[in-house]
Amino acid sequence: MQGPAVFMDISLEDQALELRKYFKSLGAEIAEEKSPKGIEDDLHKIVGVCDVCFKEQNESEIEAILNSIVSIMVSIPLERGENLIVAFSQRLSKAPGPKLGVVVVQSLWRLYNNLEPNSPLRYHVYYHVIELAARVGYVREVFTGVEQLRKEFAGCPPSNEQMQKLYRLLHQVLKDQNSELAAKVMIELLGTYTDENASYAREDAIKCIATALADPNTFLLDPLLSLKPVRFLEGELIHDLLTIFVSEKLSSYLKFYNSHKEFVHSQGLNHEQNVKKMRILSFMQMAESNPEITYDEIISELQIEEKDVEAFIIEVLKTRLVRARMDQAERAVRVSHTMHRTFDRAQWQTLRDVLLAWRANVHSAHDAMKSVAAAQIEYSTQNQKA
């Protein structure tokens, strides 16, 4: 969502005067006269009553008034910019109904886009845009991903504490709408902690793990174990549960669940969904070392009925984590490729061997081509002499 530049063809002082008169006509407690303290004080007074415009029935009129306020904001140096933006956002949050909610988000977004790229106020505006957008289901129009977020603040990076606050807000508003993106945001949040302060991120780390486990599209969980705040949870139940999802099989999860049912549910996790995910993860682990898996092995390891085997395999193939085909006559699944659940030293060694073999093959092909080219040149030379 991009907001157009805001321009007005009258002076800022006249604009402020017109706004004062307008709000006064709607019954706002504001004087019509300009402030002797200057335009910034005028702006503070106007912002203090700006929500009165919601009495208007015309959305276009409201948008024009808010844009007029924004045009003053981006045209003057704001000594108390953060307080003013907070006050403006709080007033805009009073917009009744989703249609007006979208109007105020767009107005605040115009303010954001008209601030200088190196302005520290951009962070505060962006934070309140997300807050307001969440109330009207408009977050994805503003936030598309963590890479985009980094670009937004490249000109004036916020402090670590500010980014942590923003990541928490984004996770909160995304977790019920897009669990996969929420998990990525939480991983970014945990990445902001260092060895010195990782112990303070306990709650964030627990939320990160629970979000990743609950996401039906997240299967590769091994990277979470390397995050410093997650390492501080070693020995706790949530870390034990994560370890099961990273490298163990369905039977281990069922044993854990039978011993800690209340804990699993207290984390907002659904047991049936956990079982479904663990079956897929367990099948991936079986496929890593066995290119042919019989139906009987699937029934035994994954504790499903024979009539459900083929439907389960179809679900696995939909994830694209495994490539395989079913041989119904032989009652077996033939695996051609599977994603590894973990990527440790053994996997790196395998990758290294594959790359070395590939390089050797490229060199051989190159040498062969050189030989062919040399033979062709020699043949041409001989024909010319003849």
Side-chain angles (χ1 to χ4, degrees), residues 193-250:
Y193 289 94
T194 64
D195 286 329
E196 288 71 26
N197 61 13
S199 60
Y200 296 103
R202 184 176 183 278
E203 293 302 318
D204 290 332
I206 291 173
K207 287 180 183 178
C208 179
I209 294 171
T211 300
L213 297 185
D215 181 14
N217 300 311
T218 300
F219 294 95
L220 303 179
L221 300 159
D222 188 38
L224 294 182
L225 291 175
S226 62
L227 294 171
K228 296 180 179 69
V230 172
R231 293 206 302 263
F232 270 91
L233 297 175
E234 288 183 19
E236 297 191 31
L237 289 177
I238 191 67
H239 192 278
D240 294 342
L241 183 58
L242 173 61
T243 302
I244 290 172
F245 275 80
V246 167
S247 59
E248 299 185 32
K249 294 184 178 181
L250 175 63

Side-chain angles (χ1 to χ4, degrees), residues 10 22 46 50 93 186 252 284-285 318 328 344 359:
I10 60 176
Y22 167 78
I46 291 168
C50 66
S93 68
M186 184 55 75
S252 297
M284 289 170 58
Q285 193 163 337
K318 285 180 180 178
Q328 294 169 313
D344 53 22
R359 185 174 68 175

Side-chain angles (χ1 to χ4, degrees), residues 22 84 105:
Y22 167 78
L84 189 61
V105 169

